[in-house]
Amino acid sequence: MFHRPASRRRLATAAVALGLLCTLTTSAWAGDRSPGPPAAPRARVTAVTSAAGSATALTGYAIQSSAKVSDSAAAVSSPGYPASGWYPAGSRSTVLAALLANGMYADPFHSTNLQRIPKADFAVPWWYRSDFTVAATSERSYLDFSGVISAADVYVNGRQVAKAADVAGAYTHHELDITSLVRAGTNTVAFRIQPNEPNKKLTMGWIDWLQPPPDQNMGIVRDVLVRRGGPVALRDAHVVTRLDVPSLASADLTVKAKARNETDAAVTATVSGSIGSVSFTKTVPLAAHETRTVTFTPAEFPRLRLTSPKVWWPAGMGGQPLYGLDLTASVAGTASDTAHDDFGIRDVKAPLNSDGARQYSINGRKVLIKGGGWSPDEFLRWDRTYVEDRLKYALDLGLNTIRLEGHIEPDEFFDLADRYGILTLPGWECCDKWEGNVNGSESGDKWTAADYPVAKASMAAEAARLRDHPSVISFLIGSDFAPDATIEKNYLDALKSADWPTPVVAAASDKSSPLSGSSGMKMTGPYDWIPPNYWYAKREGGATGFNSETSAGPDIPTLDTLHRMMSPAELDTLWKNPDAKQYHRSPSPTFGTLKIYNAALAGRYGAPTGLTDYVRKAQLAQYENVRAQYEAYGRNATDSAKPATGVVYWMFNSGWTSLHWQLMDRYLDQGGAYFGAKKANEPLHIQYSYDNRSVVVVNNRHASASGLTARVTLFNTDGTQKYDKAASGMSVGGDGARSTALTVPSSVSGLSTTYLARLILTDAKGKEVSRNVYWLSTRPDTIDWANTDWYYTPTTSYADLKGLDSMGRASVSASASTSSGPGGTSTTTVTVRNTGSGKTPSLLTDVHLVDAKGKPMLPVEWSDNQVTLWPGESTTLTATYRTADLHGSTPRVRVSGWNTAEQTVPAT
């Protein structure tokens, strides 16, 4: 019978937490760092403006271990303290991130360098110290922050202003009134950061994703702000929107903010605001130290009922317009404080369908959630460009959603998601303190009385921060487990108080909570290798319902990346010894080796003959498996019974150099997994069904398509054609609709055990609009459903794809040229042609853009890649990238493939 432990991700209790960091730029992260002495502290004095409503982020810190600081807290936090021998750190930096930026350790992404960093250095508190200047003290001053991991005593100008017991939890938000301590000139703020223990504190942990950093990310990972203002402060400004669905013809906007009198006397404030050309004003009397919620409704201000509003849509469904709210509180005609809030107008619903699965709709239109699980940088370094590159990759892959299990990124992440139209599913993480009360014997301490207010404050802070981002479509208050009644009520109360506008989901697994009820999700795996036909079964992790995290496990990077991340000895072990523990896989004993994956690779494709052959087969296997996962969910989305409603690939990316759970690698290189996903999710797509051999057209566009012709041709591996059939006059609706063109016979005379299926879709003018090539076997993979475990289902016999190894060599020519594009980009256009005179196709022909030294140019967006061409066929591909990333080098194009010789041609 099916059996799954209480958690699908069990960490060995002896797993060690190790890590390190390089510099704060994307390019430097990829390079090596040599050990060196501590750098001299750089001046990091922040000039704070006195403008009412200003919020100035501290520009950085000097940091040092408390074990090396004998001076008192009062001395450390006083202006003029020398901080001799301290390390400079950025404005958002863990301890280890700062040490790595100072060149203290070798490249943490290579080999086992991460393991060599001593954990003992991070078992004591660390000091963070920063100076800021103010020109005058006529305005009030506040210290505003979140993102402290795990807790901190806080000091200003020699005085303690908060204790670690009160500044606890990575997500709690704190505002400290420091007006009485701030002086004209130089001021000092200091944090004594406590060590992080994810199993004991409500912070962040790494579960089984990667080898965790030895400092466990202790530090300050969000901006610390110095706010200035007058007698009345404005806080919590936001807009509650109600869109008329399905007409989308009008939207009601309700504006809310809290006005807080900071003085000992009653005052009358005037709160005025605007959204575009719509303005509104109220007079608000406030008693001494009173806080009052100020509300502007459409009933009072009819212009807040918009006609023909600009509606925000996910990418591919419409535009992403945003509105801006501006508020000012004035006292006696003088501005006291200001607030700004960007928001979008959209409607999100996620009811349970008749099968109990959660079905999302945006603005009245059903959406199949096609997503990936997000990992930040392992050392929580924020780099906007690097994050933006990954989000652009998500769009390139045809994905519409990113799930954040814990590690909820800074505001800029959600700003980018809003801008690009990428839906987000943030929520709390599993397998540590967050679920300690409900996960039985799994990792994570039980809660004490002190944890409940931290959890509720965390929920309140994140709800207030995320609620107006139109990209945020839910909050998952549980992951592997749903919260108990007390914890859930605290979460829901906090969400309600924040005017949370979208569905709250009890868990990412198939759990129910006392108040929210069924999650409508499933977490049935797999997390390790299974064959492509697995995805078509409407059971376990197959294409039915909403699977919140799932994949066939390992995603072996390209050969270029493997050489960057592993030593020669480790690379030998990778393909020679399936039972060997792989440091770059996971600290979990369940996922510590590649045994299941390597056995399948050899069983289906034949034993690898070397590292290059291993990687070559891995890319082919990952392409077919990832493609099948997304194709199965796409095909089943419109089924009348047990439809697929969502799938989240586990994972979208890795925060480290990894051998599993990633559609692209740490350096943003793209292999079989990437292009398999890109193929499956193309806008108008022809695909083959592993379960019933049907050829199906799926239309991911909004508009319907007609006049289509679908053709399927089967070939032996020598290129001999054995079957050919077309269906013309096809039409298919929009928004994920499908149409079945034809079904391939169960038996075709003369077909070799391993064979190829070429699917081509043409439009009414005969233009090819989708091409898809499969490598298949007359001997299918046999799945042992009865022995399914929580992380995979065994395969008792493999499909025979070994015939691919006997394919003849295919001759391929390539020519390339490069031109300048808008916004500092360049585009390289590549024409690839199969010049062979026989019948043999060039299977999975890969094109890589490289520099003069042969190093991949990354990131890059390809129109298509890893293509299969028959003799006489050609295709033209484009690669778009930042010109500056060439660093003056002339681009070249490296062409390789399953059965083609590698060649490199200029792309001038």
Side-chain angles (χ1 to χ4, degrees):
M1 62 179 289
F2 173 75
H3 172 72
R4 178 165 64 92
S7 170
R8 89 289 188 201
R9 289 178 289 184
R10 187 188 300 270
L11 281 174
T13 56
V16 294
L18 299 173
L20 60 73
L21 163 70
C22 296
T23 68
L24 297 177
T25 65
T26 303
S27 58
W29 289 359
D32 294 333
R33 298 286 293 175
S34 300
R42 296 191 294 270
R44 290 185 178 274
V45 179
T46 304
V48 173
T49 179
S50 295
S54 65
T56 306
L58 298 178
T59 55
Y61 306 90
I63 73 169
Q64 184 57 276
S65 168
S66 63
K68 297 182 179 180
V69 177
S70 58
D71 299 306
S72 67
V76 169
S77 61
S78 293
Y81 181 76
S84 178
W86 289 38
Y87 300 92
S91 59
R92 308 173 188 178
S93 179
T94 65
V95 171
L96 189 51
L99 298 181
L100 291 165
N102 282 276
M104 295 302 295
Y105 307 107
D107 179 10
F109 297 114
H110 180 72
S111 189
T112 56
N113 288 345
L114 189 62
Q115 201 170 34
R116 300 188 181 106
I117 301 173
K119 290 192 297 180
D121 291 350
F122 312 106
V124 299
W126 277 67
W127 279 105
Y128 276 60
R129 186 185 185 283
S130 188
D131 290 335
F132 65 93
T133 61
V134 298
T137 58
S138 54
E139 298 291 320
R140 301 191 67 82
S141 298
Y142 309 87
L143 204 60
D144 186 310
F145 59 91
S146 64
V148 172
I149 303 176
S150 64
D153 298 296
V154 187
Y155 301 83
V156 173
N157 289 344
R159 296 279 301 276
Q160 186 168 14
V161 294
K163 295 180 179 180
D166 300 315
V167 181
Y171 298 104
T172 54
H173 174 247
H174 308 276
E175 184 181 34
L176 308 177
D177 189 338
I178 57 173
T179 303
S180 64
L181 299 176
V182 169
R183 65 190 71 169
T186 301
N187 298 267
T188 299
V189 58
F191 294 81
R192 184 163 54 199
I193 307 291
Q194 301 298 313
N196 186 30
E197 298 175 277
N199 280 333
K200 298 181 180 298
K201 301 179 181 182
L202 294 169
T203 56
M204 301 180 191
W206 287 98
I207 318 169
D208 50 10
W209 302 1
L210 45 72
Q211 300 290 350
D215 72 336
Q216 295 284 10
N217 295 135
M218 68 184 296
I220 303 176
V221 298
R222 293 181 183 171
D223 286 339
V224 173
L225 306 174
V226 180
R227 292 190 179 275
R228 307 300 300 280
V232 172
L234 276 179
R235 297 292 186 266
D236 200 36
H238 62 286
V239 181
V240 179
T241 66
R242 188 187 65 79
L243 178 64
D244 185 57
V245 175
S247 76
L248 312 184
S250 65
D252 287 353
L253 310 182
T254 298
V255 177
K256 291 185 177 183
K258 292 177 180 177
R260 187 175 71 209
N261 181 4
E262 301 284 36
T263 72
D264 296 329
V267 298
T268 298
T270 299
V271 179
S272 57
S274 64
I275 299 172
S277 61
V278 178
S279 58
F280 35 88
T281 299
K282 269 190 177 182
T283 300
V284 183
L286 293 167
H289 299 291
E290 180 186 5
T291 298
R292 178 177 294 184
T293 297
V294 184
T295 304
F296 302 89
T297 68
E300 297 173 286
F301 302 90
R303 293 188 67 197
L304 289 174
R305 179 168 291 117
L306 305 185
T307 56
S308 301
K310 298 175 182 178
V311 177
W312 187 96
W313 289 94
M317 296 178 68
Q320 292 78 47
L322 296 175
Y323 288 83
L325 164 69
D326 287 290
L327 288 177
T328 300
S330 301
V331 177
T334 301
S336 176
D337 204 357
T338 63
H340 177 82
D341 180 53
D342 290 323
F343 66 97
I345 297 175
R346 55 88 176 95
D347 176 84
V348 180
K349 296 288 189 298
L352 303 183
N353 65 15
S354 59
D355 298 304
R358 196 164 292 276
Q359 173 67 71
Y360 279 86
S361 66
I362 309 294
N363 304 329
R365 284 161 54 184
K366 288 183 179 180
V367 177
L368 170 65
I369 296 298
K370 295 186 293 185
W374 181 264
S375 172
D377 170 69
E378 174 166 5
F379 312 107
L380 303 187
R381 297 166 296 180
W382 174 258
D383 185 306
R384 179 187 172 92
T385 300
Y386 184 62
V387 170
E388 189 169 12
D389 287 339
R390 285 182 285 171
L391 292 178
K392 288 179 179 177
Y393 269 13
L395 292 181
D396 183 50
L397 290 173
L399 304 184
N400 57 24
T401 304
I402 291 295
R403 179 184 166 212
L404 299 96
E405 183 189 4
H407 298 94
I408 305 174
E409 293 277 37
D411 295 341
E412 294 96 323
F413 176 91
F414 297 95
D415 291 339
L416 288 168
D418 293 344
R419 172 183 166 190
Y420 286 114
I422 300 172
L423 305 175
T424 62
L425 288 170
W428 305 129
E429 66 194 45
C430 85
C431 313
D432 57 21
K433 180 76 170 190
W434 285 100
E435 294 186 346
N437 266 28
V438 292
N439 66 2
S441 61
E442 297 300 305
S443 298
D445 287 4
K446 301 298 181 185
W447 288 23
T448 68
D451 293 313
Y452 290 87
V454 172
K456 185 173 183 178
S458 298
M459 187 73 266
E462 290 304 283
R465 191 172 71 94
L466 301 177
R467 63 191 163 198
D468 276 357
H469 286 284
S471 59
V472 178
I473 59 169
S474 271
F475 199 95
L476 279 66
I477 56 175
S479 180
D480 288 26
F481 297 88
D484 63 27
T486 302
I487 297 172
E488 182 183 23
K489 185 176 187 306
N490 284 340
Y491 286 155
L492 294 180
D493 286 349
L495 287 159
K496 182 179 180 180
S497 294
D499 293 320
W500 185 256
T502 59
V504 177
V505 180
S509 64
D510 56 349
K511 303 294 184 185
S512 296
S513 60
L515 299 174
S516 301
S518 173
S519 69
M521 303 282 195
K522 68 177 183 178
M523 191 184 283
T524 47
Y527 299 93
D528 213 324
W529 190 87
I530 43 81
N533 61 342
Y534 171 99
W535 299 109
Y536 289 84
K538 290 194 173 185
R539 56 182 298 174
E540 275 71 58
T544 181
F546 195 123
N547 199 339
S548 67
E549 49 182 67
T550 185
S551 76
D555 287 304
I556 305 301
T558 63
L559 198 56
D560 295 291
T561 291
L562 286 171
H563 281 300
R564 295 177 72 175
M565 64 184 267
M566 299 174 76
S567 69
E570 290 167 335
L571 291 174
D572 270 351
T573 301
L574 182 65
W575 70 273
K576 288 181 178 178
N577 187 355
D579 295 330
K581 183 172 176 58
Q582 295 291 342
Y583 184 69
H584 282 266
R585 188 156 188 220
S586 173
S588 162
T590 303
F591 303 119
T593 75
L594 291 167
K595 182 177 181 178
I596 297 171
Y597 176 87
N598 284 0
L601 204 65
R604 300 175 90 239
Y605 291 99
T609 58
L611 177 64
T612 300
D613 187 52
Y614 175 82
V615 175
R616 165 178 170 258
K617 288 172 176 171
Q619 302 313 313
L620 205 67
Q622 288 155 200
Y623 187 106
E624 67 164 339
N625 215 316
V626 175
R627 175 179 60 183
Q629 178 175 337
Y630 281 113
E631 284 183 339
Y633 273 84
R635 189 199 69 173
N636 290 0
T638 52
D639 284 358
S640 57
K642 299 183 71 174
T645 62
V647 59
V648 177
Y649 189 87
W650 206 251
M651 297 176 66
F652 176 70
N653 68 296
S654 177
W656 190 50
T657 40
S658 179
L659 296 171
H660 75 167
W661 298 345
Q662 56 190 356
L663 290 174
M664 79 288 300
D665 65 41
R666 180 62 184 79
Y667 304 114
L668 302 183
D669 204 356
Q670 305 141 313
Y674 187 96
F675 291 114
K678 181 177 172 70
K679 175 58 62 178
N681 295 317
E682 62 186 354
L684 185 60
H685 180 62
I686 188 169
Q687 63 186 62
Y688 172 81
S689 303
Y690 282 83
D691 59 341
N692 60 16
R693 305 178 310 283
S694 62
V695 174
V696 173
V697 176
V698 176
N699 185 9
N700 293 306
R701 305 176 305 182
H702 181 50
S704 61
S706 60
L708 303 174
T709 298
R711 182 178 180 182
V712 57
T713 312
L714 305 185
F715 301 86
N716 286 346
T717 53
D718 64 1
T720 304
Q721 181 176 311
K722 290 297 178 180
Y723 176 84
D724 183 65
K725 190 172 182 180
S728 59
M730 287 184 61
S731 62
V732 58
D735 295 330
R738 75 160 192 260
S739 181
T740 300
L742 50 88
T743 299
V744 177
S746 59
S747 178
V748 174
S749 178
L751 201 61
S752 55
T753 302
T754 304
Y755 64 98
L756 302 176
R758 182 182 66 192
L759 281 59
I760 295 177
L761 184 70
T762 54
D763 63 15
K765 296 181 179 180
K767 179 183 177 183
E768 184 177 301
V769 292
S770 177
R771 164 185 288 242
N772 209 349
V773 176
Y774 295 78
W775 36 103
L776 302 168
S777 175
T778 57
R779 182 192 305 167
D781 294 290
T782 304
I783 298 173
D784 183 9
W785 293 107
N787 285 303
T788 296
D789 205 340
W790 67 271
Y791 63 98
Y792 91 119
T793 299
T795 302
T796 55
S797 64
Y798 298 116
D800 185 355
L801 300 172
K802 299 180 182 68
L804 296 178
D805 254 343
S806 64
M807 288 181 67
R809 303 294 285 176
S811 300
V812 170
S813 68
S815 59
S817 62
T818 299
S819 60
S820 298
T825 63
S826 291
T827 297
T828 294
T829 301
V830 185
T831 298
V832 181
R833 180 181 297 275
N834 184 331
T835 58
S837 58
K839 300 178 181 179
T840 305
S842 57
L843 180 63
L844 216 69
T845 304
D846 178 90
V847 184
H848 255 69
L849 193 70
V850 298
D851 63 17
K853 296 181 179 179
K855 180 181 178 181
M857 271 287 305
L858 301 167
V860 60
E861 182 180 323
W862 287 96
S863 58
D864 195 6
N865 211 325
Q866 298 198 343
V867 295
T868 298
L869 301 171
W870 269 256
E873 291 184 332
S874 66
T875 189
T876 298
L877 313 173
T878 59
T880 305
Y881 50 93
R882 287 186 293 266
T883 307
D885 288 346
L886 285 169
H887 302 292
S889 176
T890 300
R892 301 193 299 167
V893 169
R894 184 180 70 207
V895 182
S896 61
W898 176 260
N899 59 331
T900 57
E902 182 178 305
Q903 59 178 304
T904 302
V905 300
T908 55

